[in-house]
Amino acid sequence: MGKLYVVPTPVGNLEDMTFRAIRILKEADLILAEDTRTSGILLKHFEIKNAMMSHHKFNEHKTVDGIVNRIKAGETVALISDAGTPAISDPGFLVVRECVRHGIEVQCLPGATAFVPALVASGLPNDRFCFEGFLPQKKGRMNRLNSLVEEKRTMIFYESPYRLLKTLGQFAEVFGADRQVAVCREISKIHEECVRGTLTEVMEHFTMNEPKGEIVVILGGKID
């Protein structure tokens, strides 16, 4: 029987790729990629020429059985997403779950993920935290936020730059405008930035400076 490797890829700087990740991708019989065009750039940079197959949220239910059968037949399969660690707000959970169900060994390599450097750099408590990922865009959004009103742990959200100001405004409405927050964007890229302060102060900043790029929002928990 083969094995499934879950392989993190850089969220920005290609130098964040690990030696082990490169070796595993070069040795794999098949690489599952969220977007083969995006991953193709990464693989070309590291001179990795192995077979790739598209594996994303729109086709994973159709392809997972075939992938499991290939691994059971002895192939080594590596799963990557466009950036960061697969299955963290990205495709990956389904194929990992099915491999575990079939007794297939799954190894997840340590490596890049956006929320860890954002959390550490935020200056907010990081001994206890909860990861909320992307909020529902419409239905259930406010219910999700209202369910977090009493949350004392630091909260982590992913957000689009186009919805950032709206989201911060909703945070101010639900948690109070003086709640501490850090908005970290373009982590490990040239224009990396972390804006810290109250929700009011950070909203003022991004009202004056249009938010761009990949964004992680670190929100302080409730203080008694």
Side-chain angles (χ1 to χ4, degrees):
M1 188 177 291
K3 184 185 298 186
L4 175 69
Y5 285 100
V6 181
V7 182
T9 55
V11 297
N13 195 319
L14 292 180
E15 291 180 356
D16 294 338
M17 192 74 166
T18 68
F19 292 122
R20 185 183 176 203
I22 294 170
R23 177 179 62 79
I24 293 297
L25 292 178
K26 286 186 175 181
E27 293 176 354
D29 297 299
L30 176 67
I31 298 172
L32 304 177
E34 183 179 3
D35 186 325
T36 54
R37 294 165 299 181
T38 300
S39 296
I41 297 170
L42 175 77
L43 299 185
K44 182 178 180 181
H45 179 82
F46 290 107
E47 299 181 347
I48 299 168
K49 301 176 182 179
N50 301 43
M52 261 197 304
M53 186 173 85
S54 181
H55 182 79
H56 47 71
K57 64 181 180 180
F58 301 109
N59 75 352
E60 59 181 344
H61 287 274
K62 298 178 182 178
T63 59
V64 66
D65 289 340
I67 293 166
V68 168
N69 287 335
R70 291 180 68 162
I71 299 173
K72 290 173 74 173
E75 293 191 19
T76 296
V77 174
L79 171 68
I80 60 176
S81 60
D82 288 348
T85 300
I88 303 297
S89 290
D90 272 330
F93 165 71
L94 184 62
V95 68
V96 169
R97 183 186 68 185
E98 292 306 304
C99 284
V100 170
R101 281 181 175 177
H102 286 83
I104 294 169
E105 183 178 355
V106 177
Q107 284 192 11
C108 181
L109 277 61
T113 190
F115 79 79
V116 173
L119 175 63
V120 173
S122 71
L124 293 167
N126 55 30
D127 55 331
R128 298 176 69 239
F129 58 88
C130 62
F131 177 75
E132 292 293 324
F134 286 101
L135 290 165
Q137 291 188 26
K138 295 180 181 179
K139 187 177 180 180
R141 187 179 181 89
M142 293 308 295
N143 287 339
R144 175 80 66 82
L145 292 180
N146 286 324
S147 73
L148 296 169
V149 167
E150 298 299 319
E151 180 60 68
K152 297 180 181 180
R153 295 171 295 179
T154 299
M155 292 166 274
I156 302 167
F157 302 88
Y158 286 165
E159 191 51 281
S160 156
Y162 310 108
R163 290 192 300 269
L164 178 63
L165 280 171
K166 175 183 177 181
T167 297
L168 294 177
Q170 291 172 330
F171 285 178
E173 177 185 340
V174 173
F175 303 109
D178 60 347
R179 182 70 65 93
Q180 290 291 311
V181 67
V183 173
C184 301
R185 64 179 196 89
E186 295 294 84
I187 292 168
S188 191
K189 299 178 183 176
I190 294 173
H191 301 292
E192 181 172 351
E193 177 184 41
C194 190
V195 180
R196 307 169 183 87
T198 64
L199 282 164
T200 296
E201 292 167 342
V202 174
M203 280 191 289
E204 288 175 354
H205 172 86
F206 285 109
T207 299
M208 299 294 293
N209 303 274
E210 181 184 1
K212 296 179 181 180
E214 302 290 330
I215 289 173
V216 183
V217 181
I218 310 295
L219 182 68
K222 181 180 179 181
I223 300 175
D224 292 330

